Amino acid sequence: MTEAPASPSSEPSVRPTSYDVAKRAGVSQSAVSRCFRPGSSISKKTKAKVLKAARELGYFPNAMASGLMTRRTGMVAVIISSLTNLYYPEVLAEITQRLSDKGARVLLFALRAESEVGEILEQVWRYRVDGAIVAAHLSPEQIRQFVRHEVPVVLYNRSGGDEPVSSVSCDSFGGEKLLVDKMVKAGHRSFGILSGPPDSFVGCERVQAAIDSLAAHSLNAAVASGNFDYASGRSGLAQLIEDAGGQLDAVLCANDLMAIGALDEARARAITVPDNLSIVGFDGVAPASWESYRLTTIRQPVRRMSAAAVEMILARIADPSCPPEARNFAGSLIEGASARLA
Amino acid sequence: MTEAPASPSSEPSVRPTSYDVAKRAGVSQSAVSRCFRPGSSISKKTKAKVLKAARELGYFPNAMASGLMTRRTGMVAVIISSLTNLYYPEVLAEITQRLSDKGARVLLFALRAESEVGEILEQVWRYRVDGAIVAAHLSPEQIRQFVRHEVPVVLYNRSGGDEPVSSVSCDSFGGEKLLVDKMVKAGHRSFGILSGPPDSFVGCERVQAAIDSLAAHSLNAAVASGNFDYASGRSGLAQLIEDAGGQLDAVLCANDLMAIGALDEARARAITVPDNLSIVGFDGVAPASWESYRLTTIRQPVRRMSAAAVEMILARIADPSCPPEARNFAGSLIEGASARLA
DNA sequence: TTGAAAGCGGTACCAA
DNA sequence: TTGGTACCGCTTTCAA
């Protein structure tokens, strides 16, 4: 029974083409094509015949073939640097589902290292994606390549610099300022900062934002370098404490994951949070709100940002002449229990 | 400067074709094609000329077009149910990177609800992916569709039932038995179980495994229903406690996320873990090892499982006649601090 | 509304 | 090793 019956060549068993359907329905191949292309002029009767035959044969139009003429693949490349960063899965899930809702498919590229970008981009050109959403570091030259290849692109949480590309991001400066102002007001004076990896755009931006916000209060801060993960949150706090020599009121972490690590490190050192040390993060990932952490942080409006990214890329695909746009969303302060705020 | 120079029609500015390259290199179009197809016979000299012209023009072969003749798109569909479940991002990252290393691209489908599977599968057929890795619930009929469409498939953490498809999974029975045996030996008698959502294959399997393992010790357990998330871990433990009326030694959670929720709930109720209550999970996600939780759990060998899935799907793509295979990996016990073990 | 035929951008087989 | 040519499966004029 598992043996495939030697089907007569007149009846194609798998992957039938529009010709097969046409023959079975007794119409021309063009008619079949029109049935699957919305807006084509076709009579109800013909359409019914064709759809019936298609169903019987298990026919689905070949997206590759149709893409050849239409110059539309229906695919959007999504390029993400670190899927393991707790924040990106949420973004990816949102973007994928929204694109899917709008009838677009996601060609996913996950970077292990920044050095892979070159090879990735080659694939992006080869697959003739209709557009791309990029949440990874691109050089100005790489951004220009998108323009040159006429592939609309939306950058996620990074700026396009001077290049004419769209972007959606969460306001780092506004967020850090919100945190810093409230903490200063609450009496904090000795600040430490835990940075992200140097090649992370938001990482650098947030650190700079924190420094600037503190400077506005004539305060400065020690910076320890982390890389966005739990372990570097722990070691980072350890280093800040060591460097500060007992003088440390507050730590601003470039993301939540490190803040969580820092919280655990503080706990391990029997430092009372927030009484003796305030720790804040940035992102608003799920674990930040878990009872054991209750992190004070800035929540990115992931859903709205993802919706914006999808909307923008689809708009530019539909009309490439539509000008690029940079949208910067404000994050919202989550008052957890990890910091004393004013 | 931003104005595109009206390029002479002799020099195509974007998306040049193999004909453009051929003309520029002074060779035939076939020669260009061969340059980009490994294993084709072509002289070094011609190849150099072609590659030079291609580089100058910014030419990359159109994957859609080549897919038409080769009947290979170079894409593997990855279908995942809940990207928000903390476990899947790890899997997705692993699979994507490994496929990428092997020269395959990922067409990603994320299900919001099981009801979407139908539409998703239609897209899978349309895009003529070379194969699929599925970590979502499929009905037997849907699994059969893969066979019918001759799309090799590897199921991830679910069984193919009677259908001839490959699968890779982590041994639920072995894992739960390991936990149960050690806990029983350590003196636990009153067990509670926190189940996953009913449509989750591993969820059900793990619950059944826990029940069976307990039965082997002539023990039974109360079951509270959860849905794999943090909140249901908290509420689930609350319910188990209520139902047990003071008699609860240990809780077996169908995944780590719920176990973490349960730990926090226990903490909120001032129940000392593991002295007065043992809580264990399943998966071995990153947060499970965070200092505040130190969850005792079974770690799935994510990397090996992902590697196996990729290897299996590529093998079946390369040789469709290669028989399906079910690979069941043993998980490893992580002795955290959330359970008293023998 | 319909069918015939010319592409779309490659691949593969063929003879040279 | 090369170039010519018939496809691959669909879309899109263009007449009928």
Side-chain angles (χ1 to χ4, degrees):
Chain A
M1 279 315 221
T2 55
E3 201 73 353
S7 73
S9 61
S10 63
E11 176 128 348
S13 55
V14 294
R15 309 211 178 172
T17 73
S18 55
Y19 282 95
D20 300 320
V21 178
K23 194 188 295 173
R24 187 177 184 100
V27 298
S28 73
Q29 180 270 338
S30 324
V32 176
S33 175
R34 284 191 283 260
C35 279
F36 288 88
R37 196 127 298 272
S40 307
S41 75
I42 186 137
S43 74
K44 273 195 165 342
K45 226 171 59 187
T46 310
K47 185 162 187 173
K49 274 196 301 191
V50 170
L51 291 183
K52 179 165 175 291
R55 206 173 326 110
E56 290 165 353
L57 256 37
Y59 167 79
F60 291 100
N62 183 325
M64 306 301 120
S66 70
L68 225 41
M69 272 302 277
T70 60
R71 287 144 190 296
R72 281 237 179 307
T73 55
M75 300 192 293
V76 170
V78 173
I79 306 175
I80 287 196
S81 51
S82 54
L83 266 176
T84 43
N85 179 327
L86 231 39
Y87 170 68
Y88 285 116
E90 287 187 51
V91 177
L92 181 58
E94 281 290 328
I95 287 179
T96 302
Q97 284 168 348
R98 286 175 195 278
L99 280 173
S100 177
D101 292 343
K102 303 290 188 179
R105 259 64 49 196
V106 169
L107 197 60
L108 177 67
F109 296 95
L111 299 178
R112 208 188 310 258
E114 298 299 334
S115 57
E116 286 179 342
V117 171
E119 311 155 37
I120 294 297
L121 290 186
E122 186 178 319
Q123 297 306 325
V124 171
W125 315 141
R126 277 163 129 68
Y127 277 83
R128 303 294 197 267
V129 296
D130 297 339
I133 296 177
V134 181
H137 179 262
L138 294 184
S139 69
E141 164 55 20
Q142 285 163 339
I143 294 181
R144 271 192 295 274
Q145 286 183 35
F146 279 91
V147 180
R148 205 178 308 139
H149 284 266
E150 292 183 355
V151 176
V153 60
V154 171
L155 302 180
Y156 194 99
N157 260 348
R158 58 245 320 127
S159 108
D162 300 327
E163 308 307 325
V165 297
S166 294
S167 65
V168 26
S169 46
C170 178
D171 182 13
S172 296
F173 290 89
E176 292 292 350
K177 183 172 176 350
L178 208 59
L179 292 169
V180 166
D181 287 356
K182 290 220 172 198
M183 295 176 88
V184 170
K185 208 173 214 170
H188 299 78
R189 288 298 175 269
S190 301
F191 283 82
I193 295 176
L194 232 77
S195 76
D199 60 359
S200 159
F201 180 82
V202 283
C204 299
E205 197 178 56
R206 289 170 188 173
V207 168
Q208 193 54 52
I211 290 174
D212 292 355
S213 303
L214 287 168
H217 295 280
S218 307
L219 293 170
N220 53 18
V223 179
S225 54
N227 59 10
F228 275 171
D229 68 9
Y230 176 85
S232 72
R234 296 200 61 158
S235 59
L237 178 62
Q239 197 196 317
L240 284 175
I241 289 173
E242 195 175 319
D243 293 355
Q247 285 299 319
L248 190 65
D249 299 335
V251 177
L252 300 153
C253 304
N255 79 347
D256 281 353
L257 214 45
M258 291 195 300
I260 286 173
L263 273 171
D264 275 344
E265 182 65 21
R267 206 165 278 170
R269 291 166 174 259
I271 298 173
T272 317
V273 173
D275 299 339
N276 295 322
L277 180 67
S278 287
I279 295 174
V280 299
F282 205 115
D283 277 346
V285 297
S289 66
W290 291 351
E291 196 64 26
S292 292
Y293 295 112
R294 304 198 53 212
L295 187 65
T296 297
T297 188
I298 299 293
R299 168 133 60 213
Q300 296 195 49
V302 179
R303 307 179 67 118
R304 282 196 324 219
M305 288 171 64
S306 305
V310 167
E311 184 191 301
M312 289 163 83
I313 196 65
L314 293 180
R316 300 214 60 198
I317 289 172
D319 176 14
S321 72
C322 122
E325 181 189 6
R327 296 176 65 175
N328 197 17
F329 289 85
S332 55
L333 177 66
I334 306 294
E335 299 205 26
S338 69
R340 281 178 296 117
L341 297 188
Chain B
M1 281 314 219
T2 56
E3 201 73 354
S7 71
S9 62
S10 62
E11 176 129 346
S13 55
V14 295
R15 309 208 178 177
T17 72
S18 54
Y19 283 93
D20 300 320
V21 177
K23 194 188 297 172
R24 184 177 186 100
V27 299
S28 74
Q29 181 270 339
S30 322
V32 176
S33 175
R34 283 192 285 259
C35 279
F36 289 88
R37 198 127 296 275
S40 307
S41 74
I42 186 133
S43 73
K44 273 195 165 342
K45 225 170 61 185
T46 310
K47 187 162 186 174
K49 275 196 301 189
V50 170
L51 290 183
K52 179 165 175 291
R55 207 173 325 110
E56 289 165 356
L57 257 37
Y59 167 79
F60 291 100
N62 183 324
M64 307 301 121
S66 69
L68 268 187
M69 271 302 278
T70 60
R71 286 145 192 295
R72 282 240 181 303
T73 55
M75 300 191 294
V76 170
V78 173
I79 306 175
I80 287 198
S81 51
S82 53
L83 267 176
T84 44
N85 180 325
L86 231 39
Y87 171 66
Y88 286 116
E90 288 187 48
V91 177
L92 181 58
E94 281 290 328
I95 287 180
T96 302
Q97 285 168 348
R98 285 174 194 279
L99 280 173
S100 178
D101 291 343
K102 302 289 188 178
R105 261 63 50 195
V106 169
L107 197 60
L108 176 68
F109 296 95
L111 299 177
R112 208 188 312 259
E114 297 300 334
S115 57
E116 286 180 342
V117 171
E119 312 155 35
I120 293 298
L121 290 186
E122 187 179 319
Q123 298 304 327
V124 172
W125 315 142
R126 279 166 124 78
Y127 278 83
R128 303 293 196 269
V129 296
D130 296 339
I133 296 177
V134 181
H137 180 261
L138 294 183
S139 69
E141 164 56 19
Q142 286 164 339
I143 294 180
R144 270 192 295 273
Q145 286 183 36
F146 278 91
V147 180
R148 206 178 308 138
H149 285 265
E150 292 183 354
V151 176
V153 59
V154 171
L155 302 179
Y156 194 99
N157 260 348
R158 56 246 321 129
S159 107
D162 299 329
E163 309 307 324
V165 295
S166 295
S167 65
V168 28
S169 46
C170 177
D171 182 14
S172 296
F173 290 90
E176 293 291 350
K177 183 172 178 344
L178 208 57
L179 291 169
V180 166
D181 287 356
K182 289 220 171 198
M183 295 177 89
V184 169
K185 209 173 213 170
H188 299 78
R189 288 299 175 268
S190 302
F191 283 82
I193 294 175
L194 232 76
S195 76
D199 61 359
S200 158
F201 181 80
V202 282
C204 299
E205 197 178 57
R206 289 171 187 172
V207 169
Q208 193 55 52
I211 291 175
D212 291 355
S213 302
L214 286 167
H217 295 279
S218 306
L219 293 170
N220 52 19
V223 179
S225 53
N227 58 11
F228 275 170
D229 67 10
Y230 176 84
S232 73
R234 296 201 60 158
S235 59
L237 177 61
Q239 196 195 318
L240 284 175
I241 289 173
E242 195 173 318
D243 293 355
Q247 285 299 319
L248 190 64
D249 299 335
V251 177
L252 300 153
C253 304
N255 78 348
D256 282 353
L257 214 45
M258 292 195 298
I260 286 172
L263 272 172
D264 274 344
E265 181 67 22
R267 205 165 280 170
R269 291 166 176 259
I271 299 173
T272 317
V273 173
D275 298 341
N276 295 322
L277 180 66
S278 286
I279 295 176
V280 298
F282 205 115
D283 277 346
V285 297
S289 65
W290 291 350
E291 196 64 26
S292 292
Y293 294 112
R294 304 197 53 210
L295 187 65
T296 297
T297 187
I298 299 293
R299 169 134 58 214
Q300 297 195 49
V302 179
R303 307 179 66 119
R304 282 196 324 218
M305 288 171 65
S306 304
V310 167
E311 183 191 304
M312 288 163 85
I313 197 64
L314 293 180
R316 299 214 60 198
I317 288 171
D319 176 14
S321 72
C322 121
E325 180 189 6
R327 294 176 66 173
N328 197 17
F329 288 85
S332 55
L333 177 67
I334 306 293
E335 298 205 27
S338 69
R340 281 178 296 117
L341 297 187

